[in-house]
Amino acid sequence: MSTCMLCLGSNDNPSDNISEAVTTLTRIFPDIRWGDTVVTTAEGVSFSVPDYHNRAAIFTTTMDISSLKSLFKEIEKACGRIASSKSTGIVPLDIDLLQYDGEVLKPEDMESAYVRQALSTIR
């Protein structure tokens, strides 16, 4: 089993989209431990967008990194994510695999304030 860390983010219908993702991921990974939802302003965006709702989690799995990323993309699409979401600044759902079995996959994200804040709420 590999221990993984993820962070969800949404600034388009965030309550429903994060709730949908949490339900789906909890069904797939029954041992998942969720932190609280943290609301933050967008980082690194030069135009005005709605605040992001972020939620982090830790779970174990036998899935490999590639399979996890594919699964996360399918969940994002089910919540309305399209290829242009990032460029428009309106993101229905973003699921980032931050860490896999101790290996940090997104070092920049791990340093960001919103991820650190979301991770700090996991019990």
Side-chain angles (χ1 to χ4, degrees), residues 3-8 22 25-26 29 31-36 54-60 72 95-99 115 118-123:
T3 299
C4 302
M5 194 179 296
L6 66 77
C7 191
L8 308 175
V22 167
L25 291 165
T26 300
F29 307 109
D31 73 337
I32 198 164
R33 292 186 345 231
W34 290 100
D36 299 330
N54 306 285
R55 196 162 183 198
I58 297 173
F59 63 100
T60 59
F72 295 167
I95 307 174
D96 289 322
L97 182 60
L98 303 172
Q99 197 172 79
V115 168
L119 289 171
S120 74
T121 68
I122 298 173
R123 292 169 196 80

Side-chain angles (χ1 to χ4, degrees), residues 14-30:
S15 294
D16 289 345
N17 288 330
I18 288 192
S19 178
E20 177 74 24
V22 167
T23 299
T24 301
L25 291 165
T26 300
R27 183 175 31 81
I28 297 167
F29 307 109

